[in-house]
Amino acid sequence: MSVLTIEPGATPADEDPPDTGERHRLTAVTGLAALSLDAMASVAYGPEAIVLVLAAAGAHGLGFTLPVTLAIATLLAVLVASYRQVIAAFPDGGGSYAVAKRHLGARTSLVAAASLVLDYVLNVAVAVTAGVAALTSAFPGLYDDRLWLCLGVLVLITAVNLRGIVESARAFIVPTVVFVGSILVLIAVGLFRSGPVSTASADGHASVLADNATTVGALLLLKAFASGCAALTGVEAIANAVPSFRRPRVKRAQRAEVALGAVLGVMLIGLSVLIGRFHLQPVQGVTVLAQLADASLGHNWAFYVIQFTTMILLALSANTSFGGLPVLLKLLARDNYLPHVFALKADRQVHRHGVLALAAVSAALLVFSGGDTNTLVPLFAIGVFVGFTIAQVGMVRHWRLERSPGWHGKALLNGFGAGLTGVATLVVTLEKFQEGAWLVVIALPLLVAAFVAVHRAYGRIGERLGLGRVPEPPHRQRSLVIVPVSSLSRLTSEALTAAASLGDEVRAVTVCCPDPEDRAALHVLERAWAEWDPGVELVRLSCEHRSLGRPIAAYVREVAAAETATRVTVLIPEAEPERLWQRLLQNQRGAVVAHAVRRETDAVICRLRFRLQ
């Protein structure tokens, strides 16, 4: 005798069928394309964020662009090394949530999960609006339609991800390769330039450089560092989605993480070197990346290739969230902090409900912001910094408990990273608080409270179901099956046949209203029933008002009260049309009866689907 065992909170859908699903998973290359777009695209605004802060100290302040970038690159190396360790220690994914759950406690893990959820959702909204903003900058006539363009891009990305993460990765490999290749060519060519080839893009635009400002203090450098850390968003996505990789999952995910860190670090440092070499100043209406492309490659077709690929990658960088968030939601659902539906997978290894939920919330944010990037940017990146810090602190504790060879160095590395990301979290939150960051400060505890409420609800349900305890042995009860009928047909015959197979006794019930036409219909039904003589009693239920569900529910209550040792089942026959659109023609009487019986009684409800083929 075989026994199927399912852990509480888990579903059979959590198990991967043998020898299936691997082709719908990621390799190191496709994983890099699917899960690193957010980080790759950040080179479009990361260096610019640094420059804009340092511009407050004039030309002297811009001289610190490279040192600040090197500090961010150092933090990037620490994060990549840390998340490689996270991938190995937590191959089921979840990133900072999984680390905190094991080493820092449930509440801290929920803070990490909430911060990641907020960051993923905001990343989608910011990425889409930024990409559309680049498009409307090139074609100003589309500016008034930016919200509809944003929603259209979101629908496109959602549709691609519903086909599977591998399909989305394949779709995004080409734009990722073109973008990275273009940036690397820009850097390589620029390093051989003694000065800018062209300044056409910045000509006629007002400089935002402060006049007569030469003091560069520690606070200004901290602000520049914290703003530039926006380029690190997305570094954690690979660690969150380890189960999406092909076997060996850990090695493939680690390779993708290292490749992401190497490419991103080279691009950030290279662009910062060029900013100093060309003495670029931030100007209104033109991005720093556009100025760099102009200065390095000239104002020609290469300039427009970089602008166009930047626009595409910014819009598509939302795909990072679609790759990472559904896996995180699955883990939360498995731990009973979210509805279990988020743990289900479609046939292409897609967590469909997580993808759709992310798309719905992101669409609401787009509508709320009107498709304006500046409304969302102040809320962005705080969540991921919180997750970074928690993950680093958790890994310090991990090494202290494990005490493997060289654990002191590893713990020191993670502690250093935790200090850097913690400072960045505080600085960004304080600097952006009045610009909208207060919403994140409020949203984080509310989201944690929602997780806790769901967990308590599942706990109460589990207690009532007796999960984890051996139940009483099953025993047979006398069974009465009640079948609602309104006329004689093949559907009636099929329903009574099924009912006779299910129960010891079958009763058919019909509801009659006092209207003359209803009485006439009842008379016809009773006469036809007597002629048919199916061997089943037909019970007439009177109703003063034109109601269908309540009289049947009341009768079921009376029967259950009178026959306490009898198991009462209501079998509701329903015709299922051959065409999907024909279901709109149904009267929905079965749904009405089922709702009333479910709400007012404890009877078992069976809905018999009779296919019309």
Side-chain angles (χ1 to χ4, degrees):
M1 180 179 67
S2 62
V3 178
L4 173 64
T5 303
I6 301 177
E7 295 294 330
T11 66
D14 290 333
E15 302 296 330
D16 296 331
D19 300 325
T20 63
E22 285 300 302
R23 64 190 182 92
H24 295 301
R25 296 181 186 272
L26 299 170
T27 64
V29 175
T30 55
L32 193 63
L35 300 171
S36 68
L37 295 181
D38 179 18
M40 295 295 185
S42 66
V43 301
Y45 51 79
E48 182 160 9
I50 299 173
V51 169
L52 287 174
V53 173
L54 294 177
H60 181 59
L62 292 179
F64 287 85
T65 300
L66 182 57
V68 171
T69 304
L70 289 175
I72 293 173
T74 301
L75 177 57
L76 172 63
V78 172
L79 290 174
V80 169
S82 177
Y83 277 109
R84 283 189 77 254
Q85 298 164 356
V86 171
I87 290 169
F90 302 91
D92 290 334
S96 58
Y97 168 69
V99 175
K101 178 186 172 186
R102 180 182 298 180
H103 297 300
L104 301 178
R107 287 301 175 95
T108 306
S109 71
L110 293 182
V111 174
S115 67
L116 287 174
V117 169
L118 290 176
D119 182 68
Y120 276 136
V121 172
L122 286 167
N123 173 58
V124 173
V126 170
V128 171
T129 55
V132 171
L135 177 64
T136 56
S137 297
F139 303 98
L142 299 175
Y143 183 79
D144 292 337
D145 298 320
R146 63 190 184 280
L147 175 59
W148 293 109
L149 291 172
C150 288
L151 294 175
V153 172
L154 178 61
V155 169
L156 175 63
I157 297 174
T158 303
V160 172
N161 278 275
L162 286 175
R163 289 186 56 81
I165 191 169
V166 169
E167 298 296 331
S168 69
R170 289 170 180 166
F172 300 149
I173 282 179
V174 172
T176 302
V177 170
V178 173
F179 175 80
V180 173
S182 300
I183 298 298
L184 293 179
V185 168
L186 183 157
I187 294 171
V189 173
L191 291 176
F192 290 96
R193 303 284 191 191
S194 57
V197 176
S198 170
T199 59
S201 60
D203 290 343
H205 293 268
S207 173
V208 298
L209 196 66
D211 296 328
N212 302 321
T214 58
T215 303
V216 180
L219 182 59
L220 184 68
L221 292 177
L222 280 176
K223 289 181 180 179
F225 173 79
S227 297
C229 280
L232 303 181
T233 58
V235 173
E236 79 292 346
I238 293 174
N240 290 337
V242 178
S244 298
F245 284 83
R246 293 181 186 175
R247 296 187 181 95
R249 309 197 199 289
V250 170
K251 289 186 177 179
R252 291 183 187 275
Q254 286 180 326
R255 291 169 188 164
E257 186 74 44
V258 171
L260 167 60
V263 174
L264 180 58
V266 168
M267 290 194 295
L268 288 175
I269 295 174
L271 292 177
S272 295
V273 169
L274 293 186
I275 290 173
R277 176 181 287 266
F278 296 141
H279 304 289
L280 292 185
Q281 299 179 4
V283 299
Q284 294 179 353
V286 180
T287 65
V288 169
L289 184 60
Q291 292 186 66
L292 287 173
D294 206 8
S296 180
L297 302 175
H299 203 77
N300 49 32
W301 62 269
F303 170 84
Y304 288 103
V305 166
I306 290 180
Q307 293 303 103
F308 187 68
T309 55
T310 301
M311 175 195 71
I312 292 177
L313 208 70
L314 277 169
L316 298 184
S317 62
N319 196 67
T320 298
S321 295
F322 283 97
L325 181 60
V327 176
L328 176 62
L329 296 183
K330 182 202 80 169
L331 295 177
L332 287 168
R334 189 185 64 186
D335 295 335
N336 295 333
Y337 289 111
L338 280 179
H340 290 168
V341 69
F342 287 109
L344 299 179
K345 285 183 180 179
D347 53 358
R348 289 176 175 266
Q349 300 298 313
V350 180
H351 294 97
R352 182 172 296 164
H353 295 89
V355 170
L356 293 176
L358 174 59
V361 177
S362 301
L365 275 176
L366 290 174
V367 173
F368 166 76
S369 66
D372 181 22
T373 307
N374 294 328
T375 305
L376 298 169
V377 166
L379 312 179
F380 190 45
I382 296 177
V384 76
F385 289 147
V386 172
F388 282 163
T389 306
I390 291 175
Q392 300 284 329
V393 173
M395 288 306 294
V396 171
R397 184 170 177 79
H398 173 78
W399 297 126
R400 289 183 60 186
L401 294 175
E402 188 177 87
R403 294 185 178 273
S404 58
W407 73 270
H408 286 94
K410 296 176 182 178
L412 183 63
L413 181 69
N414 292 135
F416 178 65
L420 290 179
T421 54
V423 169
T425 304
L426 291 175
V427 173
V428 172
T429 303
L430 292 175
E431 285 298 311
K432 304 295 184 181
F433 190 82
Q434 293 184 342
E435 299 178 36
W438 60 271
L439 285 173
V440 177
V441 176
I442 294 175
L444 267 175
L446 288 179
L447 200 52
V448 171
F451 292 154
V452 172
V454 171
H455 191 72
R456 287 175 179 170
Y458 273 124
R460 289 192 295 267
I461 293 171
E463 181 65 26
R464 292 171 185 172
L465 291 177
L467 292 178
R469 299 194 300 269
V470 178
E472 296 179 359
H475 59 279
R476 191 181 188 284
Q477 284 183 302
R478 180 179 178 276
S479 177
L480 168 64
V481 183
I482 297 173
V483 183
V485 298
S486 59
S487 61
L488 289 187
S489 64
R490 286 183 59 196
L491 180 60
T492 309
S493 177
E494 288 288 337
L496 295 182
T497 299
S501 304
L502 291 174
D504 301 308
E505 179 185 354
V506 178
R507 297 180 194 172
V509 298
T510 186
V511 178
C512 177
C513 297
D515 298 344
E517 58 184 62
D518 285 350
R519 289 183 175 276
L522 175 63
H523 179 69
V524 171
L525 174 60
E526 289 180 329
R527 186 172 60 186
W529 195 275
E531 294 177 357
W532 184 35
D533 191 18
V536 175
E537 176 187 3
L538 177 63
V539 180
R540 178 200 301 183
L541 303 179
S542 300
C543 179
E544 293 296 329
H545 306 285
R546 186 170 289 277
S547 175
L548 181 63
R550 288 184 179 179
I552 296 176
Y555 177 73
V556 171
R557 285 201 309 272
E558 292 175 6
V559 171
E563 304 181 37
T564 55
T566 300
R567 175 75 65 176
V568 180
T569 300
V570 180
L571 188 145
I572 303 171
E574 296 176 291
E576 186 171 287
E578 184 177 3
R579 305 289 183 183
L580 182 62
W581 69 267
Q582 293 175 341
R583 297 182 186 181
L584 299 173
L585 307 178
Q586 293 178 288
N587 55 28
Q588 305 301 322
R589 296 178 65 175
V592 171
V593 173
H595 176 71
V597 174
R598 181 182 299 110
R599 184 182 57 186
E600 301 181 21
T601 76
D602 294 327
V604 178
I605 299 173
C606 293
R607 301 181 72 170
L608 173 66
R609 303 286 186 178
F610 181 68
R611 297 179 181 274
L612 302 178
Q613 295 180 345

